[in-house]
Amino acid sequence: MKIIGCMPLFDDNKNSYWMLPRYMKMLEEHGAVPIMLPLTDNKEELDCLLDMCDGFLLTGGQDVSPELYGEIPKTTCGMPCTLRDNMEVYLLKAAVDKDKSVLGICRGIQIINACLGGTLY
């Protein structure tokens, strides 16, 4: 069985993170063991997660910080989660280097795009 690390969703108002059950169920239905990752940018912890997980699911959530793709934030942008941005950038780059699978949904696709040199509108 493959272990898939799932990026948590972050609720700024409640200062909590959580997961949509359907993300987990979908992975279970396809023979994976999903785990919700802790929200951290501690490189030691992230390296441990990289060793433990066979792949990663980058879920939806807050807007990606425009600074990641070389833009100045506009008033139309939502509030980014800098901790999550840092975590996903680190995990994505390391996962690519280690030839691990990564699937992005909504925000996840956007962070992949930004990390690989793309821009967002």
Side-chain angles (χ1 to χ4, degrees):
M1 290 191 135
K2 301 286 184 186
I3 297 173
I4 305 299
C6 300
M7 189 57 57
L9 300 154
F10 182 72
D11 185 326
D12 223 6
N13 295 327
K14 294 180 181 174
N15 194 27
S16 66
Y17 52 95
W18 53 283
M19 179 59 54
L20 290 169
R22 191 66 197 138
Y23 287 154
M24 306 293 260
K25 282 292 187 200
M26 176 266 309
L27 290 165
E28 289 173 322
E29 288 167 3
H30 288 86
V33 176
I35 59 169
M36 186 175 81
L37 302 177
L39 194 58
T40 181
D41 60 1
N42 178 298
K43 291 183 180 14
E44 241 180 79
E45 290 178 31
L46 294 174
D47 287 339
C48 180
L49 293 169
L50 280 159
D51 290 340
M52 183 175 61
C53 295
D54 298 295
F56 297 91
L57 173 62
L58 305 182
T59 60
Q62 288 87 350
D63 286 351
V64 172
S65 176
E67 281 119 9
L68 287 180
Y69 49 92
E71 293 289 330
I72 297 169
K74 296 182 171 65
T75 56
T76 54
C77 288
M79 180 63 83
C81 179
T82 305
L83 180 60
R84 184 170 172 187
D85 285 346
N86 295 340
M87 180 180 176
E88 287 181 329
V89 167
Y90 186 86
L91 284 177
L92 177 63
K93 288 179 179 179
V96 168
D97 288 344
K98 293 177 180 266
D99 199 31
K100 295 196 177 212
S101 298
V102 178
L103 173 65
I105 297 174
C106 196
R107 174 201 153 83
I109 295 169
Q110 295 173 30
I111 198 89
I112 292 168
N113 175 57
C115 284
L116 297 177
T119 60
L120 300 170
Y121 175 76

